Amino acid sequence: MSFSDFDRACMARALELAARGMRTTSPNPRVGCVIARDGQVLAEGWHAHAGGPHAEIAALAALEAPGDARGATAYVTLEPCSHHGRTPPCADALVEAGITDVVIAAGDPNPEVNGQGIARLREAGIACRTGLMAAEADELNPGFNQRMRTGRPFVRVKLAQSLDGRIALGSGASQWITGAAARADVQHWRARASVILTGIGTVAMDDPSLNVRLPADVAPAHVAADPQPLRVIVDSRWRTPVAARTLSLPGQVVIAGCENAPIPELLATTEAELLQLPSTTASPTDRVDLHALMRELAAREANEVHVEAGGRLCGALLEAGLVDELLVYVAPCLLGQDGLPSFAFGPLEAMDSRPTFAWIDRQMFGDDLRIRLRPQYRDSQAH
């Protein structure tokens, strides 16, 4: 399909608007909308939070007069919904408003939409052009898209490590490998996630908060403060200390353990939810089935899972084919041969079996290098 420079400018603006919901739309996708006619933008809108108006509805409401949409073009980053969910169908609203042309960046993989929104518009005589800046639109919603397509959330593993690939000294000391700028950047990645996940080893060693701690002046304008993601501790044998810092902080905590391991009475008195899951073998000392955990998180409408854990859990996620992205902060230091590794897995018997990755981007934060990578899984690995 052909698109003009004005089309591209309007869609680029719609993508900017969609990004305003980066931290607040879960479990919904981030969506933006621009309404224009005769080379002039008439109104803009974006989806601010689940249960609130969708981007198209917000843009229509921003028109100076309701009739202004007649004969106009709507630029939307995601296919307009065609079903009653938390809000009425947006496709119907565009039809009723008199929109005659809709430019859509990406289709909606939600089975309840998935082409039906476009079909509804075309049935009403509205021209639909699709695929403009589709890659950029997909980049906004990796978790929502994956959950709809595969039934599991998008898993991003964050690591702070030395040049020799160590995340802590042999003693477990790790504060701080990276500088303040890198640690501040991590908070933005936490804030966009539905879940922050760690393992019992990290809880026992570091007693982390695992919450979002952004300055008040960067909180989204439409909410009083950033919502706290669900915090999940993978703890096969239910060893989480009841005095763990994260258990006393605002927000929900889930402890995921093996259903065949006994739960201590004291732990059952905490406000944390104890999620009993299958283990990978019949042994109560074995690992939680991570695939079962991800299915459970998807059932709870989790889009993006942000992992901050030790090498054992990170290695297990990688071996299970459950890592979708690495977010690695590399500090210009060395921690030595006794340091704890970023990933604990293997041993590997051949070079052909080594995990490989594709570069996404690289950026400096103070003296630390942040790299983003995408695992390149083989056909034989679950993913």
Side-chain angles (χ1 to χ4, degrees), residues 318-338:
L318 189 65
E319 284 188 311
L322 291 172
V323 177
D324 299 295
E325 184 176 309
L326 294 184
L327 183 68
V328 185
Y329 298 83
V330 183
C333 66
L334 300 171
L335 296 185
Q337 63 181 7
D338 293 332

Side-chain angles (χ1 to χ4, degrees), residues 297-317:
L297 294 179
R300 298 181 184 216
E301 298 186 302
N303 288 337
E304 296 182 26
V305 175
H306 176 91
V307 180
E308 295 190 23
R312 187 168 183 263
L313 179 55
C314 290
L317 287 166

Side-chain angles (χ1 to χ4, degrees), residues 13-339:
R13 176 57 179 165
L15 290 165
E16 289 179 5
L17 294 166
R20 292 185 181 181
M22 186 64 70
R23 309 200 294 264
T24 56
T25 64
S26 183
N28 291 351
R30 300 131 183 166
V31 185
C33 177
V34 169
I35 297 175
R37 184 177 52 235
D38 299 329
Q40 180 181 353
V41 172
L42 303 178
E44 301 177 339
W46 52 286
H47 183 44
H49 56 85
H54 287 190
E56 301 93 322
I57 306 305
L60 291 171
L63 291 165
E64 289 188 9
D68 287 351
R70 298 205 171 276
T73 298
Y75 298 85
V76 190
T77 60
L78 190 71
E79 177 183 359
C81 63
S82 54
H83 68 294
H84 282 269
R86 292 179 174 89
T87 59
C90 292
D92 289 351
L94 293 174
V95 172
E96 292 169 7
I99 294 288
T100 57
D101 185 21
V102 179
V103 180
I104 300 166
D108 189 335
N110 183 346
E112 294 185 311
V113 184
N114 197 15
Q116 296 177 55
I118 293 174
R120 172 72 184 95
L121 294 171
R122 287 177 172 161
E123 286 171 4
I126 297 175
C128 292
R129 292 177 288 156
T130 61
L132 177 59
M133 305 180 79
E136 292 88 338
D138 285 341
E139 183 68 19
L140 279 172
N141 294 298
F144 176 82
N145 291 343
Q146 178 156 292
R147 179 165 65 86
M148 290 298 160
R149 289 170 178 149
T150 69
R152 75 167 182 84
F154 184 93
V155 178
R156 180 180 291 110
V157 172
K158 170 263 174 182
L159 300 165
Q161 66 178 45
S162 60
L163 290 172
D164 51 351
R166 307 294 173 172
I167 59 173
L169 297 176
S171 65
S174 61
Q175 296 181 353
W176 296 103
I177 293 175
T178 55
R183 298 198 302 272
D185 184 62
V186 171
Q187 293 298 321
H188 293 278
W189 292 94
R190 284 187 179 185
R192 66 176 281 169
S194 306
V195 172
I196 298 175
L197 183 144
T198 194
I200 179 58
T202 299
V203 171
M205 190 173 295
D206 296 341
D207 194 19
S209 297
L210 299 175
N211 59 353
V212 176
R213 300 186 298 277
L214 285 170
D217 60 354
V218 300
H222 57 283
V223 294
D226 277 294
Q228 289 296 332
L230 174 69
R231 301 191 293 276
V232 177
I233 302 169
V234 181
D235 178 8
S236 60
R237 287 177 281 166
W238 310 103
R239 294 171 292 161
T240 300
V242 295
R245 180 183 305 165
T246 194
L247 299 185
S248 64
L249 296 174
Q252 293 180 290
V253 179
V254 168
I255 301 173
C258 292
E259 61 189 5
N260 54 357
I263 299 174
E265 290 185 11
L266 190 59
L267 186 60
T269 65
T270 69
E271 294 186 3
E273 177 187 350
L274 306 183
L275 177 61
Q276 296 178 285
L277 293 170
S279 62
T280 52
T281 70
S283 169
T285 62
D286 210 277
R287 297 176 176 177
V288 167
D289 184 328
L290 296 175
H291 286 279
L293 173 59
M294 293 305 163
R295 288 193 297 270
E296 175 64 27
L297 294 179
R300 298 181 184 216
E301 298 186 302
N303 288 337
E304 296 182 26
V305 175
H306 176 91
V307 180
E308 295 190 23
R312 187 168 183 263
L313 179 55
C314 290
L317 287 166
L318 189 65
E319 284 188 311
L322 291 172
V323 177
D324 299 295
E325 184 176 309
L326 294 184
L327 183 68
V328 185
Y329 298 83
V330 183
C333 66
L334 300 171
L335 296 185
Q337 63 181 7
D338 293 332

